[in-house]
Amino acid sequence: MSISSILADKAINVDHIAVAVPDLQQSIVFYRDVLGFEVLETRTTAGRRTAMESAVLKAGPITLVLVQGTNEDSQVSQYIAHHGAGVQHIAIGVEDLPEVVESLKAAGVEFVTKTVIQGDGIRQAFTARDPGSGMMYELIERQRPDGRFTDASVQQLFEQMEASDAF
């Protein structure tokens, strides 16, 4: 398989879209009460220096993850300060995540996560922001249909992004 076709051959779907928001509760009200999304879960994640609050919402096949920084040093707050509220990353569902990561690294793609993050039936890796579009991509492999994020996997992700000074 050529490096240029790795995502074309291994991508399955858009798993979710993460949206950075300045007010999580206000955003939940809009997405839930106006657009009809169901709130599946909320959580607070703290790194060594910063923290964020998040909510996973679903409407039909669409999954959004709303994220809000808890202080101005938070990765999410930094993202909003530099880029404004909006899409923070797009998660692309893939098959064989380790192969995808290695192929993309060989093609020159940089990653802010230094290791593949393992959750409960999921594996994840995050690219650095593309300088041309400003986008960060999460590559996620759901190893089983009920695979999910855990507090530990989100914590590991948050700490690796902190260590990379990524937002």
Side-chain angles (χ1 to χ4, degrees), residues 55-91:
V56 178
L57 297 91
K58 190 158 182 74
I62 301 167
T63 302
L64 297 178
V65 180
L66 304 179
V67 294
Q68 174 192 330
T70 58
N71 61 45
E72 65 184 31
D73 293 332
S74 170
Q75 299 158 25
V76 177
S77 300
Q78 289 180 48
Y79 175 84
I80 291 173
H82 284 84
H83 302 286
V87 175
Q88 195 269 347
H89 72 264
I90 297 173

Side-chain angles (χ1 to χ4, degrees), residues 7-137:
L7 278 183
D9 293 338
K10 297 289 187 177
I12 299 169
N13 61 6
V14 173
D15 187 85
H16 64 272
I17 299 171
V19 180
V21 300
D23 185 325
L24 184 62
Q25 292 310 311
Q26 180 181 5
S27 296
I28 288 172
V29 168
F30 173 74
Y31 281 95
R32 182 190 62 214
D33 298 350
V34 176
L35 298 180
F37 278 77
E38 175 185 2
V39 178
L40 300 181
E41 68 177 291
T42 60
R43 77 175 71 222
T44 299
T45 305
R48 294 186 182 147
R49 301 184 316 258
T50 69
M52 73 173 182
E53 296 178 344
S54 63
V56 178
L57 297 91
K58 190 158 182 74
I62 301 167
T63 302
L64 297 178
V65 180
L66 304 179
V67 294
Q68 174 192 330
T70 58
N71 61 45
E72 65 184 31
D73 293 332
S74 170
Q75 299 158 25
V76 177
S77 300
Q78 289 180 48
Y79 175 84
I80 291 173
H82 284 84
H83 302 286
V87 175
Q88 195 269 347
H89 72 264
I90 297 173
I92 300 171
V94 299
E95 296 174 338
D96 196 359
L97 179 65
E99 179 184 343
V100 171
V101 168
E102 289 309 311
S103 295
L104 290 175
K105 282 181 178 178
V109 174
E110 293 182 28
F111 284 78
V112 297
T113 51
K114 300 307 175 199
T115 63
V116 170
I117 296 165
Q118 182 71 47
D120 181 15
I122 63 169
R123 297 192 288 194
Q124 307 163 264
F126 280 73
T127 69
R129 292 208 174 277
D130 169 55
S133 66
M135 284 303 306
M136 174 185 283
Y137 295 95

